[in-house]
Amino acid sequence: MNQSKNRVFPIFAQEVFIDALRDLDIEIHQSSFEADELIAQLAFARSCPVMSNDSDFYIFDVDLILIDSLDLTNNSDGSDFLACEIYNRSKMLEHYGLANKELLYLCAALIGNDYIPPWVFDKVFMNIKLVNKNSEMTERHRKIKSLFKYMSKEKSVENALNKLLSFMPEKER
């Protein structure tokens, strides 16, 4: 078990945090369900970045600041900013040789999401050449890297989708 994933918070931590945001007059939106799409829509409409560690935001067409990149230690001079890193989608596309962000959206759907179980796409992964496994790579990361490599040969989503669907029996398409 990975103990770094286990976190214990005080019982009223959420309420105290929300009260602090209200005291600072910061707008708050809450959802009882999956809110990624709503968050992306708000960020896009307001031209502001999303701060999250959720990998779904690598795909949405919004600026992303990874919470893990925030430098909370380097603000002792009283300045009004936090140092952070902003995810650059264009550099990712360039790094993996993907022709456009639409191919990235297709990759996201094939890798798995909150609506389609990953096993549905096992036939796709059985038919594309998987990159060599190394000790630092999980099987999921191997599939992701392999899919990006496969997609780097495609110029359009339509062509890529037609080829990928050909790996599946017609009834399952």
Side-chain angles (χ1 to χ4, degrees), residues 97-124:
L98 298 176
N100 53 56
K101 62 185 173 188
E102 285 75 24
L103 286 168
L104 185 60
Y105 303 151
L106 179 56
C107 287
L110 292 167
I111 291 164
N113 53 53
D114 297 333
Y115 307 101
I116 303 170
W119 61 264
V120 170
F121 300 109
D122 282 349
K123 285 187 179 75
V124 169

Side-chain angles (χ1 to χ4, degrees), residues 6-58:
N6 296 332
R7 296 185 179 154
V8 177
F9 295 102
I11 194 165
F12 292 112
Q14 182 177 353
E15 288 81 1
V16 170
F17 180 72
I18 290 171
D19 285 344
L21 292 175
R22 285 190 178 121
D23 289 346
L24 294 168
D25 202 26
I26 295 174
E27 186 175 340
I28 301 166
H29 295 270
Q30 289 183 289
S31 173
S32 299
F33 304 101
E34 179 71 30
D36 294 352
E37 188 175 350
L38 176 61
I39 292 167
Q41 287 173 351
L42 285 169
F44 186 81
R46 294 173 182 193
S47 299
C48 67
V50 170
M51 227 176 2
S52 177
N53 282 336
D54 187 335
S55 62
D56 289 350
F57 290 105
Y58 284 110

Side-chain angles (χ1 to χ4, degrees), residues 130-140 142:
L130 296 180
V131 297
N132 291 335
K133 190 174 185 175
N134 68 42
S135 60
E136 297 174 8
M137 190 182 303
T138 66
E139 191 60 27
R140 180 165 169 76
R142 183 176 180 217

Side-chain angles (χ1 to χ4, degrees), residues 60-166:
F60 287 113
D61 199 12
V62 296
D63 288 333
L64 171 64
I65 296 171
L66 293 174
I67 292 173
D68 289 344
S69 80
L70 290 175
D71 184 358
L72 302 173
T73 62
N74 204 8
N75 204 21
S76 58
D77 62 355
S79 56
D80 291 336
F81 69 90
L82 289 173
C84 64
E85 294 175 10
I86 192 160
Y87 164 69
N88 188 318
R89 191 168 292 96
S90 298
K91 282 188 178 181
M92 182 178 167
L93 293 173
E94 184 181 318
H95 177 79
Y96 287 105
L98 298 176
N100 53 56
K101 62 185 173 188
E102 285 75 24
L103 286 168
L104 185 60
Y105 303 151
L106 179 56
C107 287
L110 292 167
I111 291 164
N113 53 53
D114 297 333
Y115 307 101
I116 303 170
W119 61 264
V120 170
F121 300 109
D122 282 349
K123 285 187 179 75
V124 169
F125 289 103
M126 288 176 2
N127 285 283
I128 67 173
K129 182 175 172 29
L130 296 180
V131 297
N132 291 335
K133 190 174 185 175
N134 68 42
S135 60
E136 297 174 8
M137 190 182 303
T138 66
E139 191 60 27
R140 180 165 169 76
H141 287 123
R142 183 176 180 217
K143 284 181 176 181
I144 292 169
K145 195 169 186 176
S146 301
L147 184 60
F148 283 173
K149 186 173 182 175
Y150 179 86
M151 290 295 199
S152 70
K153 298 173 187 138
E154 300 300 329
K155 298 299 174 215
S156 74
V157 171
E158 293 77 20
N159 288 346
L161 195 53
N162 286 334
K163 286 180 184 177
L164 292 168
L165 286 173
S166 72

